[in-house]
Amino acid sequence: MDFPLVQLKFQLTWWDLIQATVRATLQTKLLWITAFILGAFRTGMILNNGGDPAPAFGAGVWVVLLLVVVYLTIVPALSLTQQKRMAGLEVTLEVFETHLHIQHAYGNSELKWNAIVSVSSNGDALYLGLGPGKLLMVPRRALADPKQWNGLVGFCRGKIATKPA
């Protein structure tokens, strides 16, 4: 029988869901492509009407910022209304040499290491990227020992770095 290298138990909070949703949203290419195209379009409109380049560029930048702020407000809000049943959910994550096993009240799933496309970590969480807009988040509080946390992050990064192309 295969035994897990690490078993983590944690409860998802609203803050976890917001962090993961915003992070996934920022990684959405459509947001950045749309914002920059519309910003450039606004700048071009002002310049074509005989406007000064500096205010025209400033207007384009404001369009980009406005779109990003609106997108980062609306998308997470809509996502959280759909994920409201996830807040307070207790998750058990088992890390194996070949895969991850995720268990919670709504079911079980296995995730092979080659399905994970990226690993990133900030001080509060470990994020395993599963593709565009999809993340598996492990909050820092899941492991109390900093050495074990750093070991988990290093192990995950090593698994992704050595996976076959």
Side-chain angles (χ1 to χ4, degrees):
M1 176 145 197
D2 198 14
F3 292 102
L5 302 172
V6 177
Q7 183 180 41
L8 308 170
K9 288 189 180 210
F10 55 92
Q11 200 169 34
L12 291 174
T13 64
W14 279 106
W15 183 245
D16 294 334
L17 297 173
I18 290 170
Q19 281 184 300
T21 303
V22 168
R23 189 174 190 98
T25 303
L26 284 172
Q27 294 174 351
T28 304
K29 291 178 184 161
L30 180 63
L31 164 65
W32 299 108
I33 292 169
T34 303
F36 284 111
I37 288 174
L38 290 176
F41 179 73
R42 177 71 177 138
T43 303
M45 280 180 35
I46 293 172
L47 289 175
N48 285 337
N49 289 330
D52 189 20
F57 180 74
V61 169
W62 276 110
V63 167
V64 170
L65 291 175
L66 179 65
L67 287 172
V68 169
V69 167
V70 167
Y71 199 84
L72 286 176
T73 304
I74 292 174
V75 171
L78 292 174
S79 178
L80 286 175
T81 59
Q82 296 171 356
Q83 295 178 359
K84 64 182 172 188
R85 65 188 182 127
M86 300 294 283
L89 185 67
E90 187 171 296
V91 177
T92 301
L93 174 67
E94 296 176 321
V95 179
F96 292 88
E97 187 67 37
T98 57
H99 66 282
L100 299 170
H101 183 258
I102 305 153
Q103 182 179 359
H104 49 75
Y106 300 115
N108 300 321
S109 59
E110 279 193 8
L111 186 61
K112 301 282 184 197
W113 283 109
N114 62 1
I116 299 172
V117 295
S118 66
V119 175
S120 62
S121 176
N122 62 14
D124 297 330
L126 170 67
Y127 298 96
L128 304 174
L130 307 175
K134 295 181 183 176
L135 292 172
L136 174 62
M137 176 189 177
V138 181
R140 172 70 181 84
R141 67 182 177 280
L143 274 171
D145 183 21
K147 286 184 180 180
Q148 286 182 331
W149 176 257
N150 292 336
L152 175 65
V153 172
F155 177 79
C156 293
R157 285 185 174 147
K159 285 305 235 180
I160 301 308
T162 60
K163 75 178 184 179

